[in-house]
PDB file of all heavy atoms in Angstrom:
ATOM      1  N   SER J  73      -6.059  -2.758  23.370  1.00 95.00           N
ATOM      2  CA  SER J  73      -5.263  -1.574  23.059  1.00 95.00           C
ATOM      3  C   SER J  73      -4.021  -1.920  22.255  1.00 95.00           C
ATOM      4  O   SER J  73      -3.683  -1.243  21.274  1.00 95.00           O
ATOM      5  CB  SER J  73      -4.844  -0.854  24.347  1.00 95.00           C
ATOM      6  OG  SER J  73      -5.957  -0.421  25.058  1.00 95.00           O
ATOM      7  N   LEU J  74      -3.316  -2.970  22.655  1.00 95.00           N
ATOM      8  CA  LEU J  74      -2.113  -3.381  21.929  1.00 95.00           C
ATOM      9  C   LEU J  74      -2.444  -3.840  20.509  1.00 95.00           C
ATOM     10  O   LEU J  74      -1.734  -3.498  19.554  1.00 95.00           O
ATOM     11  CB  LEU J  74      -1.383  -4.483  22.700  1.00 95.00           C
ATOM     12  CG  LEU J  74      -0.769  -4.056  24.037  1.00 95.00           C
ATOM     13  CD1 LEU J  74      -0.227  -5.269  24.773  1.00 95.00           C
ATOM     14  CD2 LEU J  74       0.309  -3.012  23.836  1.00 95.00           C
ATOM     15  N   ALA J  75      -3.533  -4.594  20.369  1.00 96.00           N
ATOM     16  CA  ALA J  75      -3.948  -5.052  19.041  1.00 96.00           C
ATOM     17  C   ALA J  75      -4.327  -3.872  18.156  1.00 96.00           C
ATOM     18  O   ALA J  75      -3.949  -3.818  16.975  1.00 96.00           O
ATOM     19  CB  ALA J  75      -5.115  -6.031  19.161  1.00 96.00           C
ATOM     20  N   LYS J  76      -5.043  -2.920  18.720  1.00 96.00           N
ATOM     21  CA  LYS J  76      -5.449  -1.732  17.967  1.00 96.00           C
ATOM     22  C   LYS J  76      -4.230  -0.930  17.519  1.00 96.00           C
ATOM     23  O   LYS J  76      -4.139  -0.528  16.354  1.00 96.00           O
ATOM     24  CB  LYS J  76      -6.366  -0.862  18.831  1.00 96.00           C
ATOM     25  CG  LYS J  76      -6.788   0.424  18.177  1.00 96.00           C
ATOM     26  CD  LYS J  76      -7.638   1.241  19.137  1.00 96.00           C
ATOM     27  CE  LYS J  76      -7.818   2.630  18.599  1.00 96.00           C
ATOM     28  NZ  LYS J  76      -7.897   3.628  19.616  1.00 96.00           N
ATOM     29  N   MET J  77      -3.292  -0.694  18.413  1.00 94.00           N
ATOM     30  CA  MET J  77      -2.096   0.063  18.050  1.00 94.00           C
ATOM     31  C   MET J  77      -1.289  -0.649  16.973  1.00 94.00           C
ATOM     32  O   MET J  77      -0.819  -0.025  16.015  1.00 94.00           O
ATOM     33  CB  MET J  77      -1.235   0.320  19.282  1.00 94.00           C
ATOM     34  CG  MET J  77      -1.786   1.387  20.189  1.00 94.00           C
ATOM     35  SD  MET J  77      -0.694   1.815  21.545  1.00 94.00           S
ATOM     36  CE  MET J  77      -0.890   0.427  22.634  1.00 94.00           C
ATOM     37  N   ARG J  78      -1.124  -1.938  17.128  1.00 95.00           N
ATOM     38  CA  ARG J  78      -0.349  -2.702  16.140  1.00 95.00           C
ATOM     39  C   ARG J  78      -1.044  -2.695  14.775  1.00 95.00           C
ATOM     40  O   ARG J  78      -0.411  -2.521  13.742  1.00 95.00           O
ATOM     41  CB  ARG J  78      -0.161  -4.132  16.641  1.00 95.00           C
ATOM     42  CG  ARG J  78       0.731  -4.943  15.768  1.00 95.00           C
ATOM     43  CD  ARG J  78       1.019  -6.277  16.372  1.00 95.00           C
ATOM     44  NE  ARG J  78       1.821  -7.029  15.422  1.00 95.00           N
ATOM     45  CZ  ARG J  78       2.185  -8.249  15.580  1.00 95.00           C
ATOM     46  NH1 ARG J  78       1.858  -8.883  16.676  1.00 95.00           N
ATOM     47  NH2 ARG J  78       2.892  -8.858  14.670  1.00 95.00           N
ATOM     48  N   TRP J  79      -2.353  -2.888  14.764  1.00 95.00           N
ATOM     49  CA  TRP J  79      -3.116  -2.912  13.519  1.00 95.00           C
ATOM     50  C   TRP J  79      -3.056  -1.548  12.833  1.00 95.00           C
ATOM     51  O   TRP J  79      -2.859  -1.459  11.624  1.00 95.00           O
ATOM     52  CB  TRP J  79      -4.568  -3.299  13.830  1.00 95.00           C
ATOM     53  CG  TRP J  79      -5.412  -3.511  12.624  1.00 95.00           C
ATOM     54  CD1 TRP J  79      -5.537  -4.665  11.910  1.00 95.00           C
ATOM     55  CD2 TRP J  79      -6.261  -2.546  11.986  1.00 95.00           C
ATOM     56  NE1 TRP J  79      -6.417  -4.475  10.867  1.00 95.00           N
ATOM     57  CE2 TRP J  79      -6.869  -3.180  10.895  1.00 95.00           C
ATOM     58  CE3 TRP J  79      -6.563  -1.226  12.243  1.00 95.00           C
ATOM     59  CZ2 TRP J  79      -7.766  -2.525  10.057  1.00 95.00           C
ATOM     60  CZ3 TRP J  79      -7.459  -0.570  11.413  1.00 95.00           C
ATOM     61  CH2 TRP J  79      -8.036  -1.232  10.332  1.00 95.00           C
ATOM     62  N   MET J  80      -3.236  -0.481  13.613  1.00 95.00           N
ATOM     63  CA  MET J  80      -3.204   0.865  13.031  1.00 95.00           C
ATOM     64  C   MET J  80      -1.807   1.245  12.565  1.00 95.00           C
ATOM     65  O   MET J  80      -1.646   1.882  11.524  1.00 95.00           O
ATOM     66  CB  MET J  80      -3.721   1.894  14.033  1.00 95.00           C
ATOM     67  CG  MET J  80      -5.208   1.831  14.234  1.00 95.00           C
ATOM     68  SD  MET J  80      -5.734   3.099  15.402  1.00 95.00           S
ATOM     69  CE  MET J  80      -7.502   2.987  15.221  1.00 95.00           C
ATOM     70  N   LYS J  81      -0.779   0.850  13.305  1.00 93.00           N
ATOM     71  CA  LYS J  81       0.591   1.171  12.899  1.00 93.00           C
ATOM     72  C   LYS J  81       0.943   0.487  11.579  1.00 93.00           C
ATOM     73  O   LYS J  81       1.620   1.072  10.729  1.00 93.00           O
ATOM     74  CB  LYS J  81       1.587   0.763  13.976  1.00 93.00           C
ATOM     75  CG  LYS J  81       3.007   1.162  13.633  1.00 93.00           C
ATOM     76  CD  LYS J  81       3.999   0.746  14.683  1.00 93.00           C
ATOM     77  CE  LYS J  81       5.401   1.124  14.240  1.00 93.00           C
ATOM     78  NZ  LYS J  81       6.407   0.517  15.071  1.00 93.00           N
ATOM     79  N   ALA J  82       0.454  -0.725  11.395  1.00 93.00           N
ATOM     80  CA  ALA J  82       0.729  -1.453  10.148  1.00 93.00           C
ATOM     81  C   ALA J  82       0.071  -0.773   8.951  1.00 93.00           C
ATOM     82  O   ALA J  82       0.494  -0.974   7.812  1.00 93.00           O
ATOM     83  CB  ALA J  82       0.245  -2.895  10.259  1.00 93.00           C
ATOM     84  N   ARG J  83      -0.937   0.044   9.189  1.00 94.00           N
ATOM     85  CA  ARG J  83      -1.660   0.731   8.105  1.00 94.00           C
ATOM     86  C   ARG J  83      -1.427   2.241   8.150  1.00 94.00           C
ATOM     87  O   ARG J  83      -2.276   3.020   7.754  1.00 94.00           O
ATOM     88  CB  ARG J  83      -3.155   0.414   8.221  1.00 94.00           C
ATOM     89  CG  ARG J  83      -3.447  -1.024   7.844  1.00 94.00           C
ATOM     90  CD  ARG J  83      -4.710  -1.536   8.493  1.00 94.00           C
ATOM     91  NE  ARG J  83      -4.958  -2.920   8.149  1.00 94.00           N
ATOM     92  CZ  ARG J  83      -4.384  -3.957   8.741  1.00 94.00           C
ATOM     93  NH1 ARG J  83      -3.497  -3.764   9.697  1.00 94.00           N
ATOM     94  NH2 ARG J  83      -4.670  -5.188   8.373  1.00 94.00           N
ATOM     95  N   SER J  84      -0.243   2.639   8.652  1.00 94.00           N
ATOM     96  CA  SER J  84       0.053   4.058   8.822  1.00 94.00           C
ATOM     97  C   SER J  84       1.267   4.492   8.024  1.00 94.00           C
ATOM     98  O   SER J  84       2.209   3.723   7.832  1.00 94.00           O
ATOM     99  CB  SER J  84       0.358   4.362  10.293  1.00 94.00           C
ATOM    100  OG  SER J  84      -0.742   4.132  11.100  1.00 94.00           O
ATOM    101  N   GLU J  85       1.206   5.750   7.605  1.00 91.00           N
ATOM    102  CA  GLU J  85       2.417   6.412   7.132  1.00 91.00           C
ATOM    103  C   GLU J  85       3.132   6.876   8.393  1.00 91.00           C
ATOM    104  O   GLU J  85       2.522   7.481   9.276  1.00 91.00           O
ATOM    105  CB  GLU J  85       2.071   7.611   6.257  1.00 91.00           C
ATOM    106  CG  GLU J  85       3.279   8.407   5.848  1.00 91.00           C
ATOM    107  CD  GLU J  85       2.938   9.650   5.063  1.00 91.00           C
ATOM    108  OE1 GLU J  85       1.750   9.851   4.726  1.00 91.00           O
ATOM    109  OE2 GLU J  85       3.858  10.427   4.801  1.00 91.00           O
ATOM    110  N   ILE J  86       4.415   6.588   8.490  1.00 89.00           N
ATOM    111  CA  ILE J  86       5.157   6.905   9.707  1.00 89.00           C
ATOM    112  C   ILE J  86       5.932   8.204   9.511  1.00 89.00           C
ATOM    113  O   ILE J  86       6.707   8.338   8.567  1.00 89.00           O
ATOM    114  CB  ILE J  86       6.095   5.747  10.099  1.00 89.00           C
ATOM    115  CG1 ILE J  86       5.252   4.509  10.404  1.00 89.00           C
ATOM    116  CG2 ILE J  86       6.967   6.134  11.287  1.00 89.00           C
ATOM    117  CD1 ILE J  86       6.015   3.275  10.718  1.00 89.00           C
ATOM    118  N   VAL J  87       5.695   9.163  10.416  1.00 89.00           N
ATOM    119  CA  VAL J  87       6.405  10.436  10.416  1.00 89.00           C
ATOM    120  C   VAL J  87       7.221  10.467  11.707  1.00 89.00           C
ATOM    121  O   VAL J  87       6.668  10.498  12.799  1.00 89.00           O
ATOM    122  CB  VAL J  87       5.426  11.628  10.369  1.00 89.00           C
ATOM    123  CG1 VAL J  87       6.183  12.943  10.441  1.00 89.00           C
ATOM    124  CG2 VAL J  87       4.554  11.557   9.126  1.00 89.00           C
ATOM    125  N   ASP J  88       8.545  10.432  11.566  1.00 87.00           N
ATOM    126  CA  ASP J  88       9.447  10.409  12.721  1.00 87.00           C
ATOM    127  C   ASP J  88       9.992  11.812  12.954  1.00 87.00           C
ATOM    128  O   ASP J  88      10.853  12.283  12.215  1.00 87.00           O
ATOM    129  CB  ASP J  88      10.575   9.422  12.482  1.00 87.00           C
ATOM    130  CG  ASP J  88      11.391   9.147  13.723  1.00 87.00           C
ATOM    131  OD1 ASP J  88      11.283   9.923  14.692  1.00 87.00           O
ATOM    132  OD2 ASP J  88      12.142   8.156  13.726  1.00 87.00           O
ATOM    133  N   PHE J  89       9.484  12.504  13.979  1.00 84.00           N
ATOM    134  CA  PHE J  89       9.908  13.868  14.249  1.00 84.00           C
ATOM    135  C   PHE J  89      11.357  13.938  14.701  1.00 84.00           C
ATOM    136  O   PHE J  89      12.048  14.923  14.423  1.00 84.00           O
ATOM    137  CB  PHE J  89       8.999  14.524  15.294  1.00 84.00           C
ATOM    138  CG  PHE J  89       7.678  14.941  14.737  1.00 84.00           C
ATOM    139  CD1 PHE J  89       6.509  14.376  15.194  1.00 84.00           C
ATOM    140  CD2 PHE J  89       7.599  15.899  13.750  1.00 84.00           C
ATOM    141  CE1 PHE J  89       5.285  14.762  14.681  1.00 84.00           C
ATOM    142  CE2 PHE J  89       6.380  16.290  13.223  1.00 84.00           C
ATOM    143  CZ  PHE J  89       5.221  15.714  13.689  1.00 84.00           C
ATOM    144  N   GLU J  90      11.850  12.915  15.396  1.00 82.00           N
ATOM    145  CA  GLU J  90      13.257  12.904  15.810  1.00 82.00           C
ATOM    146  C   GLU J  90      14.163  12.918  14.583  1.00 82.00           C
ATOM    147  O   GLU J  90      15.154  13.640  14.543  1.00 82.00           O
ATOM    148  CB  GLU J  90      13.544  11.674  16.680  1.00 82.00           C
ATOM    149  CG  GLU J  90      12.908  11.738  18.046  1.00 82.00           C
ATOM    150  CD  GLU J  90      13.472  12.865  18.905  1.00 82.00           C
ATOM    151  OE1 GLU J  90      14.694  13.084  18.901  1.00 82.00           O
ATOM    152  OE2 GLU J  90      12.667  13.531  19.578  1.00 82.00           O
ATOM    153  N   GLU J  91      13.816  12.132  13.587  1.00 82.00           N
ATOM    154  CA  GLU J  91      14.594  12.086  12.352  1.00 82.00           C
ATOM    155  C   GLU J  91      14.530  13.431  11.626  1.00 82.00           C
ATOM    156  O   GLU J  91      15.548  13.933  11.133  1.00 82.00           O
ATOM    157  CB  GLU J  91      14.048  10.980  11.443  1.00 82.00           C
ATOM    158  CG  GLU J  91      14.847  10.723  10.206  1.00 82.00           C
ATOM    159  CD  GLU J  91      14.247   9.584   9.405  1.00 82.00           C
ATOM    160  OE1 GLU J  91      14.068   8.492   9.968  1.00 82.00           O
ATOM    161  OE2 GLU J  91      13.959   9.802   8.215  1.00 82.00           O
ATOM    162  N   LEU J  92      13.349  14.031  11.574  1.00 81.00           N
ATOM    163  CA  LEU J  92      13.201  15.337  10.929  1.00 81.00           C
ATOM    164  C   LEU J  92      13.980  16.421  11.669  1.00 81.00           C
ATOM    165  O   LEU J  92      14.609  17.287  11.045  1.00 81.00           O
ATOM    166  CB  LEU J  92      11.722  15.722  10.841  1.00 81.00           C
ATOM    167  CG  LEU J  92      10.858  14.841   9.935  1.00 81.00           C
ATOM    168  CD1 LEU J  92       9.398  15.239  10.048  1.00 81.00           C
ATOM    169  CD2 LEU J  92      11.321  14.914   8.501  1.00 81.00           C
ATOM    170  N   LEU J  93      13.972  16.382  13.010  1.00 80.00           N
ATOM    171  CA  LEU J  93      14.733  17.349  13.780  1.00 80.00           C
ATOM    172  C   LEU J  93      16.236  17.180  13.584  1.00 80.00           C
ATOM    173  O   LEU J  93      16.980  18.158  13.524  1.00 80.00           O
ATOM    174  CB  LEU J  93      14.385  17.232  15.268  1.00 80.00           C
ATOM    175  CG  LEU J  93      13.053  17.822  15.685  1.00 80.00           C
ATOM    176  CD1 LEU J  93      12.753  17.492  17.150  1.00 80.00           C
ATOM    177  CD2 LEU J  93      13.041  19.323  15.486  1.00 80.00           C
TER     178      LEU J  93
END
Side-chain angles (χ1 to χ4, degrees):
S73 299
L74 293 173
K76 177 183 168 213
M77 285 186 285
R78 186 173 176 184
W79 187 86
M80 287 181 170
K81 184 181 177 192
R83 289 155 181 82
S84 296
E85 175 184 354
I86 297 176
V87 177
D88 191 345
F89 284 117
E90 290 295 318
E91 186 178 305
L92 294 174
L93 284 173

